[in-house]
Amino acid sequence: MKKSTKRRVKKSLSIRAAALTILIVMLGAFGGGVYVFREFIFIQHPGEEADSAAYVIPTAQAVRELPNLTCQKHRELPDHTEEPHTITETYGYTLIPRTMSDSITEAEKLLSAYDVPYTVEYALAAYPEGDVLWVEYAGFSDSNGYYVNPAVEVTLCVSGNKPSQTPYNGKNRVYLTFDDGPSAYTPEILDVLDYYGIKAAFFTMGKSIEKYPEIAEEIVERGHILACHTMTHEYEYIYDSVENMISETRLWEGQLEKLGLLDDVAGNLYFRFPGGTVNKYTTPAEREDMIAAVRDRGYRVFDWNVVTNDSLLSIRPEDTDSHTYMREQFFESLALRASAPDKIVLMHDPIRETSEMLPWLIRYLLGNGYCFGTLDQMDHDYLMG
């Protein structure tokens, strides 16, 4: 997709390998070594004493978001080394240019081309299968590239296979949907979904996209459905007339157009009525008119049939905690739809408890024979009643 967001950890090896300069192995090969003195890293040339005037290699702040690494304070290069310098001697290190890809296939090709030994470790992570998460190597980096000790094996940590799902049997497919976002909790939800290799639909409000544009972009970037839930979610105004409903839809589309996302969703337009198509604000005839008007704009319309009632936590029994209440509501509604071929789960991403409970919900469904789908796999809209 188009734009990457500032909130997401950059995965390209060019950035991560620079970040990993702080992961240094004491080297003896080729008569040279790299030593860490407090917050500085110095290159010791063969036959020379460690000199505080030697090149200072900066560590990248992004390393704080990578696991299992020692963090050093960020330091800028001194003025005399800000620009790439001419390489006359690599002192036994293999200089690899800054062309590494985040694909394990491409990373392996590059390391093999430079005769650098490596090993691959796999981890379950919130990235696509085969993406390189981080690199551990003996050496250092500067503006020219990565100086790797070829006598020390490089480790590539790679995003591994996602949990397996039970094949679809006609009544075990679940569709996860989230309303009212994007929000501050949406990135957490996206990470959980990526961790398990699941795609979802996000029925977003235009005013929330206006507040969190980068997160709206990230929803699309990560391969999820960015869907319409009107501009404001204000029931009385929206349901006052068909014209108001369409006006709210156009305003939502306008937010996507500002971000350059309208083309990304064109041909795959999904709509959810605030409060659902069955609500106290419209008569059956008015409801049909509004549904027809939305469909005329190219949208498919979806309600839901399974809930966690995360939006009703404020009225839960006083002796029931939030997570217990949501689990009970989920079990009850799921049981009612046991024989239904499609189970569309309604959740709300602006609610903190939803992001907290989502891993449990996914593990429960995976462990009980369910599989996950996306709304574009359904050959029909889904309406209540």
Side-chain angles (χ1 to χ4, degrees):
M1 292 294 175
K2 291 191 174 182
K3 304 175 182 176
S4 61
T5 67
K6 295 178 182 177
R7 297 184 63 88
R8 192 175 183 191
V9 179
K10 304 297 185 182
K11 299 192 280 83
S12 70
L13 289 182
S14 61
I15 293 176
R16 282 179 302 187
L20 297 174
T21 55
I22 53 85
L23 187 64
I24 302 299
V25 177
M26 302 300 288
L27 304 177
F30 304 101
V34 177
Y35 297 90
V36 178
F37 297 102
R38 295 185 181 179
E39 292 137 357
F40 297 99
I41 299 174
F42 301 100
I43 305 172
Q44 181 188 355
H45 296 172
E48 296 180 358
E49 296 295 329
D51 180 5
S52 62
Y55 290 123
V56 179
I57 309 301
T59 60
Q61 291 185 359
V63 77
R64 295 189 176 99
E65 300 182 67
L66 295 175
N68 303 323
L69 298 174
T70 304
C71 298
Q72 299 284 341
K73 293 182 179 179
H74 179 67
R75 291 289 181 135
E76 299 295 334
L77 283 171
D79 291 341
H80 68 280
T81 59
E82 285 180 351
E83 297 298 325
H85 53 276
T86 301
I87 296 297
T88 58
E89 175 61 67
T90 60
Y91 301 100
Y93 295 98
T94 297
L95 175 58
I96 300 179
R98 293 182 178 275
T99 57
M100 283 193 184
S101 165
D102 60 358
S103 161
I104 177 60
T105 302
E106 295 304 316
E108 287 183 311
K109 285 181 181 178
L110 185 62
L111 292 174
S112 297
Y114 283 86
D115 293 323
V116 173
Y118 66 89
T119 186
V120 180
E121 296 180 356
Y122 290 92
L124 190 60
Y127 294 101
E129 295 177 16
D131 272 17
V132 178
L133 304 175
W134 67 84
V135 183
E136 294 178 1
Y137 67 97
F140 55 92
S141 71
D142 67 7
S143 53
N144 294 282
Y146 315 110
Y147 299 77
V148 179
N149 181 354
V152 180
E153 195 172 61
V154 171
T155 298
L156 300 174
C157 186
V158 180
S159 181
N161 297 332
K162 304 302 181 183
S164 60
Q165 300 183 24
T166 302
Y168 180 53
N169 61 19
K171 60 179 181 180
N172 67 332
R173 183 174 287 159
V174 176
Y175 306 85
L176 300 183
T177 68
F178 299 87
D179 283 13
D180 299 352
S183 75
Y185 300 115
T186 306
E188 297 175 19
I189 291 171
L190 292 172
D191 283 346
V192 172
L193 294 172
D194 280 356
Y195 187 90
Y196 290 98
I198 296 168
K199 302 302 180 185
F202 290 81
F203 288 91
T204 58
M205 297 187 296
K207 66 179 184 181
S208 297
I209 292 175
E210 193 170 32
K211 184 177 181 180
Y212 298 103
E214 292 181 348
I215 300 178
E217 293 171 340
E218 189 167 359
I219 290 172
V220 175
E221 178 191 341
R222 298 213 201 179
H224 302 282
I225 292 174
L226 185 67
C228 181
H229 201 38
T230 74
M231 180 69 186
T232 65
H233 206 283
E234 295 179 2
Y235 296 115
E236 293 185 359
Y237 173 78
I238 292 169
Y239 292 120
D240 185 61
S241 67
V242 172
E243 291 74 22
N244 287 0
M245 171 69 76
I246 297 305
S247 173
E248 286 268 317
T249 305
R250 287 195 179 110
L251 289 171
W252 179 86
E253 294 168 357
Q255 292 301 314
L256 267 64
E257 190 168 17
K258 290 179 183 177
L259 299 176
L261 296 177
L262 200 54
D263 288 342
D264 291 307
V265 303
N268 290 285
L269 296 171
Y270 301 86
F271 190 94
R272 176 167 285 165
F273 282 63
T277 55
V278 178
N279 57 73
K280 67 179 182 179
Y281 300 96
T282 57
T283 65
E286 290 170 337
R287 185 181 313 136
E288 290 301 320
D289 288 343
M290 290 184 177
I291 293 172
V294 169
R295 283 175 170 165
D296 284 345
R297 291 191 65 80
Y299 287 86
R300 298 180 62 187
V301 181
F302 286 90
D303 285 324
W304 60 89
N305 56 12
V306 178
V307 298
T308 63
N309 279 341
D310 52 1
S311 62
L312 301 179
L313 291 176
S314 61
I315 62 172
R316 73 184 187 278
E318 292 184 2
D319 60 347
T320 304
D321 67 81
S322 297
H323 290 181
T324 299
Y325 175 78
M326 292 165 67
R327 286 195 295 267
E328 290 174 349
Q329 297 295 305
F330 171 72
F331 284 140
E332 182 179 338
S333 62
L334 184 64
L336 290 173
R337 300 294 176 181
S339 60
D342 303 305
K343 297 162 179 64
I344 304 175
V345 183
L346 168 66
M347 292 172 281
H348 297 81
D349 43 324
I351 296 175
R352 174 178 54 81
E353 288 84 355
T354 294
S355 63
E356 294 173 347
M357 196 190 79
L358 184 60
W360 169 86
L361 185 146
I362 291 173
R363 288 195 298 269
Y364 172 82
L365 291 169
L366 288 173
N368 285 274
Y370 291 92
C371 61
F372 292 90
T374 52
L375 296 182
D376 57 334
Q377 293 176 286
M378 294 182 63
D379 59 7
H380 59 279
D381 295 6
Y382 182 84
L383 305 179
M384 296 179 183

